[in-house]
């Protein structure tokens, strides 16, 4: 993927050995950015207010990502 955000993520998010680092995205739906981080070796998780946020876990897992928890919640919670 190429674009403004992927270029930015390439600069600030280094590739890591699998099972060594975790990443959490707040406001993660639809999952494009956290998936990009996941392809760099990070175990990925996220929170969002969107009710179908849990589907990111299924989608990312099918793409071979190390998936943690994707939860619908508010920042207040």
């Amino acid at each position: 993927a190429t674009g403004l955000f992927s270029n930015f993520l390439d600069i600030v998010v280094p590739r890591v050995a699998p099972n060594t680092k975790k990443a959490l995205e707040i406001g993660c739906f639809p999952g494009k950015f956290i998936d990009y981080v996941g392809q760099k070796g990070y175990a990925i998780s996220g929170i969002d207010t969107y009710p179908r946020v849990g589907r990111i876990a299924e989608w990312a897992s099918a793409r071979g990502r190390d998936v943690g928890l994707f939860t619908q919640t508010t920042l207040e919670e």
Side-chain angles (χ1 to χ4, degrees):
T2 59
L4 177 64
F5 288 105
S6 59
N7 289 339
F8 173 75
L9 290 173
D10 285 342
I11 293 168
V12 299
V13 180
R15 187 167 294 280
V16 298
N19 301 315
T20 60
K21 300 279 184 174
K22 296 179 182 181
L24 170 69
E25 183 179 4
I26 298 169
C28 60
F29 197 86
K32 181 179 177 182
F33 299 126
I34 197 66
D35 178 65
Y36 193 77
V37 172
Q39 78 179 7
K40 292 175 163 270
Y42 292 78
I44 56 173
S45 296
I47 62 172
D48 202 295
T49 58
Y50 189 66
R52 293 175 32 197
V53 68
R55 296 209 173 164
I56 296 174
E58 300 165 16
W59 173 74
S61 182
R63 295 172 57 80
R65 308 299 182 239
D66 184 2
V67 176
L69 185 63
F70 284 85
T71 305
Q72 179 192 2
T73 190
T74 65
L75 287 177
E76 292 83 16
E77 291 176 14

